[in-house]
Amino acid sequence: DRKMKEKTRQQRDAVIEYLTVHITAKNTDLAELLGLKPTRVRELLAGLIEDQIVVAEGEKKSRIYKLKEKASM
């Protein structure tokens, strides 16, 4: 169980790193990058959205993901 949590953390970090560099990505881009199935990438993205790290824009196949902008102070 510990390994799975570490693996998930590494995958989440890879998504965040990709979005930091590329600004936006589609589910298929991330699936190809990580070598994962699109369904697994959607699970990772759902967790990142829930944690308010990533936001989704658009509908269904045209949906893109990007890092949530930090509130400026």
Side-chain angles (χ1 to χ4, degrees):
D1 194 37
R2 180 89 174 132
K3 269 188 182 178
M4 285 301 286
K5 289 180 183 178
E6 178 64 18
K7 193 173 188 179
T8 297
R9 187 187 64 73
Q10 289 174 350
Q11 292 169 343
R12 286 171 55 113
D13 288 349
V15 169
I16 292 167
E17 185 177 328
Y18 183 91
L19 291 174
T20 299
V21 173
H22 295 88
I23 312 302
T24 64
K26 290 185 172 191
N27 180 38
T28 53
D29 298 331
L30 295 168
E32 187 175 320
L33 167 79
L34 296 170
L36 299 172
K37 293 183 180 180
T39 50
R40 174 62 182 143
V41 174
R42 277 193 290 277
E43 291 172 1
L44 289 168
L45 289 166
L48 289 166
I49 291 167
E50 187 176 311
D51 293 343
Q52 298 185 3
I53 296 169
V54 170
V55 293
E57 295 180 354
E59 295 294 322
K60 303 198 191 257
K61 289 188 183 270
S62 64
R63 180 168 290 162
I64 61 166
Y65 300 89
K66 63 182 186 177
L67 295 176
K68 184 174 181 175
E69 293 185 26
K70 305 270 190 269
S72 57
M73 299 204 162

